[in-house]
Amino acid sequence: MIIRLLGPLELTGPNGAVQLTSAGQRTLVARLAVHPGETVPRSALVDALWSDEVPATATKTLHSLLARLRGQIRDAGLGELITTREPGYVFNAPADHVDVARFESLVTAARRSDEPMESARMLREALALWTGDPLVDCRPGEWARQESARLTELRLGATEDLMDASLAVGEHAAVAPLVSSLVEQHPFRERLWEQLMIALYRCGRQAEALAAFHRARGVLVDEPGIRLRDLEQAVLNADPRLDLVERPPAPVRGNLPADHSSFVDRPETEQVANLVGQHRLVTLIGVGGVGKTRLAVHVARGEQPADGVWLVELAALRDRALVPHAVAEALGVVDQTGRGLLTVLTEFLADRDALLVLDNCEHVVDHCAVLVDTLLRFAPRLRVIATSRRALRVHGEQVLSVSPLSVPYPAATLFARRADAAIPGSFVITGANEQAVTDLCRRLDGIPLAIEMAALRVRALTPAQLLERLDDRFEVLTDGGRNALPQHQTLIATMDWSFDLCSPREQLLWARASVFAGSFDLTAAEAVCSDDALTADFMFDAVDGLVDKSVLQREEDAGVARYRLLETMRQYGQTRLRASDEEPRLCTRHRDYYAGVAVQGERAWFTPRQAATVGAMTAERGNLRAALEYSLTTPGEADAGLRLAATLWFYWVGCGRLAEGRHWLTWALSLDAKPSRVRCKALWVAGYVATLQGNAAAVPALLQACRAEASLLGDQDAVVYATYVQGTAAVFDDDLASGAALLAEADRLHSALGHLDSNVIMARVALAITVAFSGDLDRATAICTEARALCEENGELWARAYALYVLAFVAMARGDVATARELATSSLRVKESFDDLLGIAVAVELLALVSVVTGSASHAALLLGGADRVWRSVGVPLFGSANFAASHDQCVALCRQALGDEAFDEHFARGAAMTVAAVVAAAQS
């Protein structure tokens, strides 16, 4: 999000927030940004700034305001966000980067949707964009008043739409208290009264529904409308039309990518579909490029399991132990506990009706076999389609060998479609070219990848010319060896041919880019792949050439172009790289570059670039994993792997990757036992991760080793961070006295050593919650207020959100419920953007307490169930701490008292079945 208008105005770029110091600047930004991409005349800007009395210097002042504003915008890294376009100016931001445009788009889409559950999801996402009253920071004037009124009305209409959608999916118990509160705030909106009556009626509270009608009649200025009067009669008559309408099953969920090109049907399609319908594991085997993935995805797209079809791409995965992580990532299952992830997946899928597509299993086939065998035994409704170059050899597996396409058809059909796509509308099979196309497909043995690569060349050559070149260059093929399959040899021939068509610089880049795992950007290519033979100055041309030849696939992430080799292309490039003896040098350069990326991320963590760092680390996770694996599997490189695993503490802790962090840290520490400052850091980071997971048993040994080695080396930095972790662990263990003493000592040592980073702030936040538990609310407030100010000074969001949580906790203890809700919601919003499940869990717990004390016991019970769902992915709920559990227990008791045990359990179970995203949305509603 670049700009927020639905609350306090914020304009943020890669280098931090733009400091809009005057109401005039804020008004200009709002007037331009409310309709991004549209030209706003100068006269409209003048009217927005001075609606009542326009000064004589208005035009000059406008130009001055805009000049300063543009400079500030450039400094924030947003470039030319505001440009001149006669007769005025335009705000050059994508619509989804402006919260107003995003809000309106989501509401429009929700109203068009025929599926209430999907509508509700979009409406919750839209309403979550609001952080306060719109345009409150602008100059008061006619435009601001009118636009604010328009947006406020849209918000209320969207809220009413959400109530309707929620009623349509059977959430009347949750709607009743929400809409009851809404009618108090907006008593003249008949639609809200209608929704209240329906919700109460469906909850079995017919008398209260009728009472609501009589209240409405007493409040409304005019006689209730015909819809409301008809509704009263329907309630009196217990009209069955008021009952919840049974809806057909929701559309299949999942993550299958959209088709980028048409699917050419083949004889195996029906056979594969039949096997998938009758058996729980179907493995498609065949050589690279034969079309296994495309066939598997096409068949999977025709399946409709209730819990979705999920594609798990394994090609870029190099560490076999991370196979369960890849599956969890695809499913959206995040677990930061110390449990094995296979156990977590088994529990998650145990009662789900789902279909997994495991793509490219061949290089991790043994681990895939263990995973699939375990999941199928414990998840009776799960089905799996796997693609591999060899079978998994799991009990019950149905193996189908995918053959090349038949010649002439459908091979010629595939060639024709891809050739026509290369130059749209230019290619059809005719009597003049049919024989050449047939011969070409036959020479390529019907391999789809080879045919598609050849078809791209029709931009320069005819099918006859393509065939002539193929005959000239590859009559005898030896690269695959005498025992290689003919199809495999032909694919290598096609790769060789494509390779030869590249320039020498492009060939070098193709081979060298094979060291990347997943995608990479131009900067990475320049750093890793350049030398005297391929200088950085020519890197862009080489990248562009490979994109044009479809060797590199271009994608976009956060406005930055990234590139990816398809797996078959990457493997071919790797073969070329090994033949040149460059692989060790390139792997080391790759590791060193991504070690630098990690260091940059660590440095940026306590700056306004923190939020951008989250996205950057997520985009580079495949390369970071490859760098770690190379270091930990290559003799003499273990120290570099240990350093990298320790440097990434902010990613493991701040971005919801606790379990993966433990994996790498444990591995790295097991390889390098020689005392060093790097090892000391890795030890306290490992203790930190274990503490947050609630794995108390592992913490003492790690911190003791850290302290012992740090004392030997004189490493005061490691000592103070270990002290912070030890203090946090003591607080989680309810030893408040020891925890407070250790955290205070950590804070003193941090100051003495000149430390100021997120963990320094977190030490103070931990001290604040500790003294709050002890009853010293004033001291807790003072500590967190100072911590919050330091974060805001430095653009830090992650630790600031925890400070907001503690301030919300204190506000709740003082009975200031409104402030508690505001602060906890702000904390939750940040934690959601960081994917920090720990922060999400504690914020949702507090918001549940807010709900129950404000009379929404059913909503509170729902949130408690949702929080429980999140805790199960983090570790021990509430850290196993009686102090942290006290407010939770209070909330449970109040809910049970208000609802009764049966109703409480029902709402709790609904919350526990929600996704994390749904839990967060519910907590903010």
Side-chain angles (χ1 to χ4, degrees):
M1 184 71 68
I2 287 179
I3 183 167
R4 295 182 184 275
L5 303 175
L6 302 176
L9 194 148
E10 298 176 19
L11 178 59
T12 307
N15 300 332
V18 179
Q19 299 302 318
L20 303 172
T21 55
S22 70
Q25 282 188 327
R26 292 191 291 272
T27 304
L28 276 179
V29 169
R31 183 65 183 86
L32 287 163
V34 76
H35 296 298
E38 295 183 12
T39 302
V40 181
R42 293 181 184 85
S43 58
L45 294 176
V46 169
D47 287 344
L49 289 167
W50 302 282
S51 60
D52 299 325
E53 187 174 343
V54 180
T57 59
T59 301
K60 183 178 179 180
T61 304
L62 172 64
H63 289 162
S64 176
L65 283 170
L66 279 168
R68 286 198 299 274
L69 180 61
R70 285 165 142 179
Q72 290 172 271
I73 286 172
R74 281 191 290 270
D75 290 344
L78 290 170
E80 299 303 320
L81 188 61
I82 298 175
T83 56
T84 303
R85 184 196 289 167
E86 293 301 329
Y89 300 90
V90 62
F91 191 81
N92 296 304
D96 62 355
H97 285 201
V98 181
D99 61 355
V100 168
R102 178 68 177 154
F103 171 76
E104 294 187 87
S105 172
L106 284 166
V107 171
T108 300
R111 288 172 175 168
R112 288 175 178 166
S113 175
D114 295 327
E115 176 48 54
M117 189 169 291
E118 180 65 11
S119 294
R121 183 195 64 76
M122 290 188 285
L123 289 164
R124 288 191 180 99
E125 183 180 344
L127 291 166
L129 296 170
W130 286 73
T131 59
D133 294 329
L135 311 179
V136 289
D137 298 330
C138 296
R139 283 184 179 174
E142 189 61 26
W143 173 79
R145 285 193 295 272
Q146 289 182 357
E147 187 64 16
S148 177
R150 181 184 77 85
L151 291 171
T152 301
E153 176 59 28
L154 276 176
R155 180 187 191 181
L156 190 50
T159 303
E160 291 174 330
D161 291 344
L162 177 57
M163 296 301 102
D164 276 341
S166 300
L167 287 170
V169 296
E171 295 181 354
H172 37 271
V175 167
L178 294 175
V179 80
S180 179
S181 175
L182 287 169
V183 297
E184 296 298 328
Q185 301 169 48
H186 308 283
F188 305 118
R189 296 183 75 94
E190 289 197 18
R191 186 180 177 192
L192 290 174
W193 287 106
E194 293 170 13
Q195 291 168 342
L196 178 59
M197 291 176 66
I198 292 171
L200 291 170
Y201 178 83
R202 288 183 182 169
C203 288
R205 296 153 67 181
Q206 184 181 25
E208 291 178 62
L210 292 170
F213 174 79
H214 292 297
R215 283 169 53 210
R217 170 171 276 171
V219 168
L220 295 171
V221 176
D222 299 319
E223 181 69 13
I226 189 168
R227 283 171 54 91
L228 200 55
R229 296 198 304 273
D230 287 349
L231 183 56
E232 179 205 23
Q233 196 60 44
V235 171
L236 282 168
N237 297 335
D239 193 322
R241 287 176 296 177
L242 293 180
D243 295 335
L244 182 66
V245 177
E246 291 294 329
R247 303 187 63 82
V252 174
R253 297 182 296 113
N255 68 341
L256 289 183
D259 267 329
H260 293 295
S261 57
S262 60
F263 177 77
V264 175
D265 204 5
R266 52 197 302 164
E268 298 100 323
T269 305
E270 185 177 353
Q271 185 181 0
V272 174
N274 289 336
L275 285 173
V276 170
Q278 297 169 22
H279 301 278
R280 298 182 59 212
L281 172 60
V282 175
T283 301
L284 306 182
I285 63 170
V287 297
V290 80
K292 301 183 295 293
T293 299
R294 193 66 188 271
L295 178 57
V297 170
H298 177 76
V299 171
R301 195 171 277 117
E303 298 296 310
Q304 295 187 350
D307 294 304
V309 181
W310 304 90
L311 175 63
V312 183
E313 296 174 322
L314 300 171
L317 200 64
R318 299 185 183 183
D319 180 5
R320 297 176 180 182
L322 291 179
V323 169
H325 288 263
V327 177
E329 206 162 75
L331 289 167
V333 176
V334 181
D335 189 276
Q336 302 169 2
T337 68
R339 299 181 299 162
L341 203 49
L342 185 53
T343 301
V344 174
L345 287 171
T346 301
E347 292 176 3
F348 178 80
L349 293 166
D351 59 352
R352 281 177 164 80
D353 176 16
L355 173 63
L356 288 183
V357 181
L358 301 180
D359 190 33
N360 287 302
C361 298
E362 53 270 3
H363 60 304
V364 287
V365 66
D366 293 336
H367 285 67
C368 284
V370 171
L371 178 133
V372 170
D373 183 58
T374 303
L375 293 181
L376 291 178
R377 280 189 289 113
F378 291 97
R381 295 195 293 163
L382 176 69
R383 290 177 294 154
V384 177
I385 303 176
T387 73
S388 180
R389 296 189 186 181
R390 52 191 176 125
L392 303 187
R393 301 192 184 281
V394 171
H395 178 71
E397 179 184 32
Q398 300 296 306
V399 180
L400 179 71
S401 179
V402 179
S403 302
L405 297 177
S406 298
V407 180
Y409 296 99
T413 302
L414 175 63
F415 182 92
R417 290 188 185 178
R418 299 300 181 261
D420 187 64
I423 307 177
S426 68
F427 189 87
V428 293
I429 294 179
T430 65
N433 65 23
E434 184 176 16
Q435 189 58 51
V437 170
T438 299
D439 290 344
L440 183 62
C441 290
R442 184 175 290 110
R443 288 287 294 117
L444 296 173
D445 277 350
I447 303 252
L449 178 60
I451 292 170
E452 290 186 339
M453 291 174 62
L456 292 173
R457 306 302 171 203
V458 299
R459 289 177 291 190
L461 302 168
T462 66
Q465 289 174 308
L466 288 169
L467 182 62
E468 183 180 351
R469 281 174 172 260
L470 190 64
D471 284 338
D472 287 345
R473 300 179 72 104
F474 303 112
E475 283 189 2
V476 179
L477 206 60
T478 59
D479 292 43
R482 292 181 180 274
N483 296 325
L485 291 172
Q487 296 93 331
H488 195 189
Q489 292 179 335
T490 304
L491 180 61
I492 290 176
T494 306
M495 290 289 184
D496 283 338
W497 172 52
S498 188
F499 189 81
D500 288 344
L501 289 176
C502 295
S503 70
R505 290 191 182 109
E506 290 168 354
Q507 291 176 347
L508 276 176
L509 179 58
W510 184 346
R512 293 173 178 179
S514 67
V515 299
F516 291 105
S519 65
F520 57 94
D521 59 18
L522 183 60
T523 303
E526 290 169 343
V528 176
C529 301
S530 63
D531 62 6
D532 292 341
L534 177 59
T535 63
D537 293 341
F538 289 99
M539 188 62 67
F540 174 76
D541 291 336
V543 168
D544 187 55
L546 292 182
V547 170
D548 183 60
K549 295 176 176 65
S550 298
V551 175
L552 283 178
Q553 306 298 305
R554 182 188 181 279
E555 52 196 48
E556 194 168 313
D557 182 76
V560 176
R562 296 180 67 85
Y563 310 96
R564 180 190 302 273
L565 282 168
L566 294 178
E567 179 58 16
T568 305
M569 303 284 198
R570 190 191 67 78
Q571 290 180 8
Y572 178 83
Q574 197 171 57
T575 302
R576 287 279 182 168
L577 186 65
R578 286 171 180 165
S580 69
D581 296 325
E582 283 195 322
E583 187 177 30
R585 180 175 68 88
L586 266 293
C587 286
T588 302
R589 291 185 69 174
H590 175 274
R591 189 274 316 285
D592 291 346
Y593 176 77
Y594 284 102
V597 168
V599 169
Q600 290 170 9
E602 185 179 34
R603 289 173 180 165
W605 194 250
F606 196 65
T607 74
R609 300 193 302 278
Q610 187 182 64
T613 299
V614 176
M617 293 300 109
T618 301
E620 301 293 7
R621 62 183 179 271
N623 286 304
L624 291 169
R625 288 168 175 170
L628 283 162
E629 185 185 1
Y630 169 75
S631 299
L632 300 180
T633 57
T634 302
E637 301 291 343
D639 180 69
L642 187 67
R643 185 184 303 275
L644 179 54
T647 300
L648 286 168
W649 69 264
F650 65 94
Y651 184 52
W652 313 136
V653 171
C655 304
R657 302 283 175 176
L658 295 176
E660 184 173 348
R662 280 292 298 282
H663 168 79
W664 293 115
L665 287 160
T666 302
W667 185 0
L669 286 166
S670 72
L671 295 178
D672 192 344
K674 182 181 177 182
S676 66
R677 287 178 177 266
V678 171
R679 181 174 168 81
C680 288
K681 182 175 181 178
L683 284 165
W684 73 253
V685 171
Y688 194 5
V689 172
T691 297
L692 297 179
Q693 288 180 308
N695 188 354
V699 177
L702 291 166
L703 297 184
Q704 285 167 15
C706 176
R707 286 178 173 280
E709 295 183 20
S711 297
L712 183 66
L713 299 168
D715 186 352
Q716 290 301 306
D717 289 338
V719 170
V720 65
Y721 287 111
T723 303
Y724 154 55
V725 174
Q726 187 178 357
T728 303
V731 174
F732 290 174
D733 201 33
D734 292 321
D735 186 353
L736 299 185
S738 296
L742 287 164
L743 292 168
E745 175 67 4
D747 189 43
R748 185 188 68 78
L749 291 172
H750 279 311
S751 298
L753 294 170
H755 294 169
L756 184 58
D757 58 27
S758 296
N759 285 323
V760 174
I761 300 297
M762 287 300 294
R764 296 178 184 177
V765 171
L767 179 59
I769 194 69
T770 305
V771 299
F773 285 151
S774 301
D776 193 347
L777 301 183
D778 290 340
R779 187 180 174 209
T781 300
I783 294 171
C784 272
T785 300
E786 182 185 356
R788 177 183 182 181
L790 275 172
C791 288
E792 290 170 352
E793 254 180 63
N794 291 278
E796 212 281 356
L797 298 173
W798 175 73
R800 174 180 172 270
Y802 280 115
L804 293 178
Y805 161 75
V806 177
L807 289 171
F809 179 90
V810 171
M812 199 65 192
R814 286 174 166 159
D816 188 353
V817 179
T819 299
R821 175 189 280 118
E822 180 184 353
L823 290 168
T825 301
S826 297
S827 176
L828 178 61
R829 191 174 294 119
V830 173
K831 291 307 180 185
E832 180 188 23
S833 69
F834 280 64
D835 212 14
D836 183 351
L837 294 187
L838 185 63
I840 289 171
V842 295
V844 172
E845 289 276 359
L846 192 52
L847 286 167
L849 184 59
V850 168
S851 288
V852 74
V853 300
T854 54
S856 299
S858 57
H859 189 243
L862 181 82
L863 294 185
L864 286 172
D868 183 71
R869 156 74 178 87
V870 179
W871 280 118
R872 281 186 273 119
S873 296
V874 174
V876 178
L878 295 155
F879 317 108
S881 162
N883 286 295
F884 275 95
S887 58
H888 169 88
D889 295 341
Q890 178 192 4
C891 186
V892 171
L894 290 171
C895 286
R896 289 191 181 278
Q897 181 181 342
L899 300 171
D901 290 343
E902 185 176 345
F904 171 83
D905 291 341
E906 179 187 342
H907 291 299
F908 186 95
R910 283 183 50 237
M914 295 164 69
T915 63
V916 174
V919 171
V920 171
Q924 296 180 81
S925 64

